[in-house]
Amino acid sequence: MAAPMELFCWAGGWGLPSVDPDCLAVLTYARFTGAPLKVHRVTSPWSSPSGRLPALKTRDEGTISKTQQIITHLGKQRYNADYDLSTTQRADTLAFVSLLEEKLLPVLIHTFWVDAKNYVEHTRKWYAETIPFPLNFFLPNCMHKQHLERLQLMWGDGYMEDEEKLEKELYRDARECLTLLSQRLGSQKFFFGDSPASLDAFVFSRLAPLLKAKLPNGKLQQHLKSLQNLCNYCTSILSLYFPWDGGESPASAPRAVGADGSEAEDDPHKRRNQLLSVLVGLAAMLGYAFLSGIVSIQRGSTGPAGHQPIALEEEEEEEEE
Amino acid sequence: MSLVAEAFVTQLAAAEPWPENAALYQQLKEEQILLSDNASSLAVQAFLQMCNLPIRVVCRANAEYMSPSGKVPFIHVGNQVVSELGPIVQFVKAKGHSLSDGLDEVQKAEMKAYMELVNNMLLTAELYLQWCDDVTVEEITHPRYGSPYPWPLNRILSYQKQWEVRRKMKAIGWAGKTLEQVLEDVDQCCQALSQRLGTQPYFFNKQPTELDALVFGHLFTILTTQLITDELSEKVKNYSNLTAFCRRIEQQYFEGHDKDSSATVAARSAKRSLLR
């Protein structure tokens, strides 16, 4: 048998299997359909074969990096969550995904990456702690700039500069989008009845980070928490399909193991760093000593003889004093 | 505008009835306007016709720069200027006219979702075709976009716009798509619309809503605009209920009211002047 497909995605955090909405969408879809994927939870895009996350390494078609394309590919491999949907339901899926992408996702990106308080205190902190040295110094900032540019192009400069206008119109549209989703879901278990479809994967992946992350500036989050059926929807998907990744207590156990593992990894680094710093210090002192003439080595004489001038110099100094 | 001023203006808007001299501004119909702008303009005109609100179409070469958001069309009603279909629908609602009041909550959710589908897929595909497909850009877009201006301003303006649109396409991930993939997306979108419409006269059965206006605007323009190839309009023609829908709305809201209305004139002029 050929090797199973491999999925590279961002690591988990905040009680979720992955912190990035796109990676979460692909993971959830794979869980829904039972696709056999080998999941690599990585902490930097450089570990992925295509340099971006999420990335699906397939058997025959190389690496696919776009969320929608990954889901389509899985669908072609007979892991199709939309198989039982009627044509109207498929049309509705397309429409609601467009609604999410146009109205909700940009505001979500703004909440996590552009809003000053959230970005500095929450998002950047998490990414800086998770991404390995030395990427953690510049990668979060790089991602912040990318997201900012994308929002500027989508919304135009007028919105980015005027905070009030942004808050009033765009956040209002996002809140309306959440309310509409809530109304569409009603009291059903999933959007199209009792079994999950690709729309559920998309909706879950956009809502779950908003629900779970502890944002300092969380107006949109508060609105989501007021929509009880959406909250129940997210928590039920988490507990049904990600029982060992979701939730606080199970997460802390693998976290502890991970922490031990990472500490063990850090230890040789720590030792090495300490040794390096001592060596560097010594080399700096010796270099200064030689350069300023406190210590000098005279060539042409033997070792012990070389020491004498130093001793003599010191004696001379003492005599002078 | 601050919140207080906005509320004041809305009150004012609600207080005044719809004037007789309301005007809709767009670019020059014969020589300048492009596919995507024509579609948006037609959608707004259809919406206002459905609401029975009189509007006259004014063509100006600098309509894009006059607009408060930079996008056409925009309407000038009383002493207010509102651009783009979404804000126009809300403005008209504040004046007491609405097409979607009879819908329940779930239907409103679906209507908004389908409107976003059209904006996300159809409008973006039109923009891609106009500005990212090299043949169309050279032969149709560049000559049309800068036509009211003298050389070299016409070239500068159209290159500037092209660069802007390409940046946006890159940001939303469409820059890497080929023309075939874009046409495939258009086909998927039309399929979804066709399935949702089914055999009903309008998307929400008996009464037209802003979704019908938007879909009509885009599909009618695609069907009647002649581009380098017919591939785009062929994708729409594959779905007979969509073409019947366009014809029905044209007959009911455009030919019936005014012989010289924009839809018919646009259709005739589009067939004539876009052929190169």
Side-chain angles (χ1 to χ4, degrees), chain A residues 81-90 93 192-193 195-199:
Chain A
D82 291 344
Y83 194 68
D84 293 323
L85 295 184
S86 73
T87 47
T88 321
Q89 286 172 330
R90 279 180 220 224
T93 302
F192 297 122
S195 56
S198 59
L199 180 61

Side-chain angles (χ1 to χ4, degrees), chain B residues 35-274:
Chain B
L35 177 60
S36 54
D37 295 329
N38 203 7
S40 308
S41 177
L42 193 56
V44 173
Q45 289 171 49
F47 174 71
L48 292 170
Q49 289 280 16
M50 289 170 183
C51 293
N52 251 325
L53 296 170
I55 191 111
R56 66 194 165 90
V57 178
V58 178
C59 296
R60 290 273 184 275
N62 60 341
E64 208 178 352
Y65 302 106
M66 285 201 279
S67 159
S69 70
K71 301 211 169 92
V72 284
F74 64 93
I75 58 172
H76 181 205
V77 175
N79 61 351
Q80 289 179 306
V81 180
V82 190
S83 67
E84 294 183 77
L85 183 65
I88 291 178
V89 168
Q90 283 171 342
F91 177 75
V92 166
K93 194 168 176 186
K95 286 212 178 282
H97 307 268
S98 171
L99 293 177
S100 50
D101 277 343
L103 301 179
D104 65 37
E105 298 299 336
V106 174
Q107 285 176 318
K108 279 197 186 149
E110 286 177 2
M111 182 184 80
K112 292 238 149 84
Y114 276 92
M115 284 177 76
E116 285 311 319
L117 176 67
V118 172
N119 278 332
N120 198 2
M121 284 201 159
L122 273 186
L123 181 61
T124 320
E126 288 166 5
L127 282 172
Y128 180 93
L129 193 62
Q130 280 168 199
W131 293 104
C132 301
D133 176 44
D134 294 322
V135 179
T136 315
V137 166
E138 266 312 308
E139 299 209 7
I140 296 187
T141 313
H142 274 326
R144 281 185 78 86
Y145 188 76
S147 58
Y149 305 107
W151 189 92
L153 191 58
N154 57 354
R155 290 306 254 182
I156 295 175
L157 287 177
S158 53
Y159 275 119
Q160 194 180 33
K161 180 83 180 171
Q162 182 180 14
W163 183 71
E164 205 182 291
V165 173
R166 283 198 180 182
R167 270 180 75 204
K168 189 174 169 202
M169 290 288 150
K170 202 164 150 207
I172 58 177
W174 277 60
K177 290 197 181 185
T178 62
L179 189 59
E180 283 73 34
Q181 284 170 326
V182 170
L183 290 172
E184 187 56 46
D185 285 340
V186 170
D187 189 48
Q188 264 192 347
C189 181
C190 292
Q191 189 181 28
L193 290 171
S194 172
Q195 279 157 1
R196 186 67 180 83
L197 182 64
T199 50
Q200 299 168 117
Y202 301 109
F203 277 92
F204 293 99
N205 208 7
K206 297 287 183 329
Q207 295 300 323
T209 56
E210 46 264 34
L211 174 61
D212 300 277
L214 184 64
V215 172
F216 169 74
H218 282 274
L219 293 184
F220 189 85
T221 315
I222 290 177
L223 286 171
T224 54
T225 306
Q226 214 141 9
L227 298 168
I228 305 287
T229 62
D230 278 334
E231 285 171 329
L232 193 58
S233 54
E234 287 302 317
K235 292 286 175 195
V236 179
K237 282 185 196 159
N238 277 337
Y239 302 95
S240 57
N241 62 345
L242 291 180
T243 45
F245 169 79
C246 290
R247 207 166 295 126
R248 190 182 317 126
I249 293 198
E250 189 200 354
Q251 281 168 348
Q252 194 162 2
Y253 291 100
F254 288 96
E255 278 172 22
H257 288 227
D258 193 353
K259 279 273 180 229
D260 272 334
S261 75
S262 339
T264 42
V265 173
R268 277 185 261 127
S269 67
K271 285 195 165 85
R272 248 188 297 126
S273 62
L274 285 177

Side-chain angles (χ1 to χ4, degrees), chain A residues 66 87-88 91-92 94-96 98-99 101-103 149-150 153-154 164 168 172 176 180 183-184, chain B residues 1-3 6 90 105-106 109-110 112-114 116-117 120 167-168 171-173 188 192 195-196:
Chain A
K66 282 211 182 129
T87 47
T88 321
D92 281 349
L94 215 54
F96 277 97
S98 296
L99 183 67
E101 301 299 291
E102 286 280 322
K103 295 279 174 188
E149 204 193 318
R150 183 173 161 193
L153 285 171
M154 279 179 83
E164 213 182 289
K168 206 157 63 76
R172 185 193 60 196
E176 201 189 347
L180 290 174
Q183 281 159 356
R184 182 68 176 77
Chain B
M1 245 197 281
S2 73
L3 284 166
E6 185 73 44
Q90 283 171 342
E105 298 299 336
V106 174
E110 286 177 2
K112 292 238 149 84
Y114 276 92
E116 285 311 319
L117 176 67
N120 198 2
R167 270 180 75 204
K168 189 174 169 202
I172 58 177
Q188 264 192 347
Q195 279 157 1
R196 186 67 180 83

Side-chain angles (χ1 to χ4, degrees), chain A residues 31-316:
Chain A
R31 283 288 162 94
F32 284 164
T33 56
L37 283 182
K38 191 156 167 245
V39 178
H40 298 272
R41 299 230 170 98
V42 298
T43 50
S44 92
W46 288 13
S47 317
S48 126
S50 70
R52 284 186 304 177
L53 296 168
L56 182 74
K57 198 165 158 193
T58 62
R59 284 171 274 222
D60 320 307
E61 291 175 29
T63 310
I64 311 178
S65 243
K66 282 211 182 129
T67 318
Q68 189 58 53
Q69 283 177 356
I70 295 179
I71 290 186
T72 317
H73 180 82
L74 286 174
K76 279 193 224 150
Q77 301 284 323
R78 292 178 293 120
Y79 299 111
N80 193 352
D82 291 344
Y83 194 68
D84 293 323
L85 295 184
S86 73
T87 47
T88 321
Q89 286 172 330
R90 279 180 220 224
D92 281 349
T93 302
L94 215 54
F96 277 97
V97 168
S98 296
L99 183 67
L100 278 177
E101 301 299 291
E102 286 280 322
K103 295 279 174 188
L104 188 61
L105 188 62
V107 177
L108 210 62
I109 292 178
H110 186 271
T111 306
F112 276 90
W113 286 97
V114 179
D115 181 79
K117 208 157 176 232
N118 285 342
Y119 172 59
V120 168
E121 289 178 29
H122 182 262
T123 316
R124 189 173 69 180
K125 188 157 156 273
W126 188 88
Y127 277 92
E129 280 168 10
T130 318
I131 300 177
F133 177 88
L135 285 176
N136 61 343
F137 284 120
F138 57 84
L139 198 57
N141 212 17
C142 215
M143 290 168 77
H144 163 76
K145 285 207 187 101
Q146 264 179 3
H147 283 124
L148 187 63
E149 204 193 318
R150 183 173 161 193
L151 290 184
Q152 264 169 346
L153 285 171
M154 279 179 83
W155 287 342
D157 287 324
Y159 282 109
M160 301 307 293
E161 284 153 28
D162 191 347
E163 281 292 325
E164 213 182 289
K165 199 173 167 192
L166 186 81
E167 162 64 34
K168 206 157 63 76
E169 291 180 22
L170 298 170
Y171 272 75
R172 185 193 60 196
D173 282 344
R175 284 194 286 267
E176 201 189 347
C177 177
L178 288 174
T179 317
L180 290 174
L181 282 173
S182 173
Q183 281 159 356
R184 182 68 176 77
L185 180 64
S187 52
Q188 293 170 278
K189 199 162 165 217
F190 296 106
F191 274 93
F192 297 122
D194 286 331
S195 56
S198 59
L199 180 61
D200 299 287
F202 273 104
V203 173
F204 171 72
S205 65
R206 298 336 182 208
L207 296 183
L210 190 59
L211 190 62
K212 288 282 181 179
K214 295 183 177 46
L215 296 172
N217 195 3
K219 286 171 286 217
L220 195 60
Q221 194 174 40
Q222 278 160 11
H223 185 82
L224 175 59
K225 287 190 177 155
S226 73
L227 297 166
Q228 200 52 43
N229 63 345
L230 287 180
C231 297
N232 293 343
Y233 172 75
C234 288
T235 31
S236 79
I237 289 186
L238 260 180
S239 58
L240 273 175
Y241 292 97
F242 299 101
W244 48 86
D245 298 321
E248 293 306 316
S249 30
S252 56
R255 261 258 138 114
V257 171
D260 281 341
S262 60
E263 267 190 54
E265 276 178 37
D266 274 346
D267 263 341
H269 277 217
K270 231 166 136 188
R271 286 283 147 72
R272 188 196 71 185
N273 286 347
Q274 281 170 341
L275 201 61
L276 265 178
S277 50
V278 165
L279 283 175
V280 167
L282 265 177
M285 287 196 316
L286 282 173
Y288 178 71
F290 279 120
L291 283 172
S292 60
I294 298 175
V295 175
S296 62
I297 297 180
Q298 294 193 344
R299 301 203 183 248
S301 39
T302 52
H307 286 295
Q308 277 179 14
I310 302 171
L312 275 173
E313 271 182 64
E314 283 181 334
E315 278 179 26
E316 279 178 31

